[in-house]
Amino acid sequence: MEKILRFIQYIAAPLRAEWMFFVITFLLLAQQPIDWLTLPSSDRWYQWGMGLKSLAVETGLVWVLTWVVWKSHSRLVKYLLTAVAWLLLGITLFLSFNFEMNISQQTLTVLVETTSKESGEFVNTYMWSPESQLSYTIDACLAIVIIVLYCIEGKLHRALRRPFHSFATDLVAGTVATVGLGFFIYAWGTLLLASNSTRVYRWRNGFATTSLDIGTQSAHAINSLRAFGNDVRMAVKQAREVYRTHPTVQESDSLTVIYVLGESYIKHHASLYGYELNTTPCMVRERNRGNLFAFTDVIAQENITSVVEKNTFCLNSVADGESWFEKPNFTTIFKRAGYNVYMWDIQRTQQPHKLFTVTVNQFVYNPEIMRLSYTACDKGGFDYDGQLVDDFHKHVKLHGKHNLIVFHLYGQHVNPHYRYPAGSYYDNHFKPDSVRRNEKWLTTDKKQKIAYYDNATLYNDAVMEKIFDLYRNKNTVVVYFADHGEEVYDFRDTKGRHTETDPKPGTLMYQNEVPFVIWCSDRYKQLHPQVVARIKQALHRPYMTDNVGQLMLDLGRIKTQYYIPDRDLIAPQFRPRKRLVYDHCDYDKVMRGVDRNKIYPRFVK
């Protein structure tokens, strides 16, 4: 017991000696945890749990800094560390006021990739904006307060000497610091050991990054850059390994395989899947003609584009514990087998500095990955998905027997009313009064947002029709699915995508269940009746999109050592796997026995 008390007194000693530094530094770094705790939330237990955990980590971090100051006996060290904390807060305020961002992998990546010309434009645009001036003013006021406090530190220290040297104070301060130090060692230790993005991602499952103190956020951002750099190096190695193999195409006729990745598509807003409004007239027609096959039980592993896209391009299986950078990209295998591979990606240049774009582009458009995986890529500059498809048709004339075309659409992403041309047929096609629902919280403004989403879904359907029509008379098979869904006031008063520790059935239905279809031209059906039969037999199989690459190899008629038939959705050997979403939640377990009719929105007849 005596040793425990001595230990607690030792832990309390730096706080007693440098309490002013501890308080100032703690308050400078605490902006993010405080913001997190004041946010509106439907899950207060999760919010407060993460918030208190973050404050504990910060307590440990600031104790370590205080210990350094105490041991150094140097005012210079104290002032330098205070200045660093003050500078980090200033950067955070600047980012928050101007961009509603914090210090993250995204901001560091943008900083690293910014050219001198872009830096000049940035300075001219943001450095003296009203938001920036406000952040500078707050930071300057804080600097004055800190200087004043340090000037009177000696007087305050003498005035508080007696209460700060009591046993009770040591006990409380030492106990709190010990708990904080434990959380800090665990948080920073596991973070620094996370050498790839999979480990960083798992670390983030335990710590909501936006709730962390500014110091820990900065460490997370720096380590995320290091980890993702390791990922890309591993992915390049996998791509090179493909060229040590000799995949072949088992197709004597010409064949075009088209892979279309949609964005933010709520499956339950597609009339193809029973939605009240006619948002997918083309897909319904193609299904009725016998050319389109809609799969009924497909989910995405995440509601984050960057995570899903990397796992769907690569041949890893999440359920089997494999990370995306441990397996090659299916496009690399197609090209090695002799296919011409075309990548037309609207998100390559749309919002290029957004994190979901940056983390994908560093992989998909790594120079070595591009050389080994694609015949040609688009030049960018498109506002709408239809323009992307038109550009491909205008500039690419398919000249080889075997061609793989990848279209990455913008779909219904983030602001759906910007996803279709203003003044077009799709603009204002569905209106607030089209949404015949009467929930008390569903205002006219919210119905308008639902209408925007449904209009974007209708336009997305027209884009798919354009693709079908271009290849209707060729030996063509098309796979279309979305990276994830989201919410637009479907079963509760909320919009967008949300992270929950234990996702509710409604959350999984709208954010993870995605449309998944295969379209076959008449010529493809004629040449491959057995494949079409296998497609029909697989329509109701439980499936997660991380294994879609195996399906692509099958449809591309490619024989390769990388093909694993029990992961191929339409193969007779297909074996359903546990569908883990967000790396920890068993989707089928959560959804077992759920009455979906109680979750679906009710339209008034």
Side-chain angles (χ1 to χ4, degrees), residues 43 46 499-505 507-508 582 584-586 590:
D43 190 350
Y46 171 78
T499 301
E500 297 173 356
T501 307
D502 298 306
K504 302 175 180 63
T507 305
L508 295 178
Y582 308 106
H584 71 281
C585 174
D586 186 334
V590 173

Side-chain angles (χ1 to χ4, degrees), residues 37 98 229 402 431 450 603:
L37 289 171
N98 280 288
H402 305 126
K431 303 172 184 176
I450 296 172
F603 278 75

Side-chain angles (χ1 to χ4, degrees), residues 514-526:
V514 293
F516 191 102
V517 305
I518 296 178
W519 180 88
C520 305
S521 68
D522 289 337
R523 180 165 176 76
Y524 184 90
K525 291 173 62 180
Q526 181 184 3

Side-chain angles (χ1 to χ4, degrees), residues 15 188 377 407 516 541 578:
L15 306 184
W188 279 61
C377 299
F407 289 121
F516 191 102
R541 288 176 177 172
K578 178 183 283 190

Side-chain angles (χ1 to χ4, degrees), residues 487 491-492 503-511 591 594 599:
E487 293 182 45
F491 70 99
R492 58 184 176 182
K504 302 175 180 63
T507 305
L508 295 178
M509 281 176 58
Y510 284 92
Q511 296 188 38
M591 298 304 296
V594 170
I599 301 174

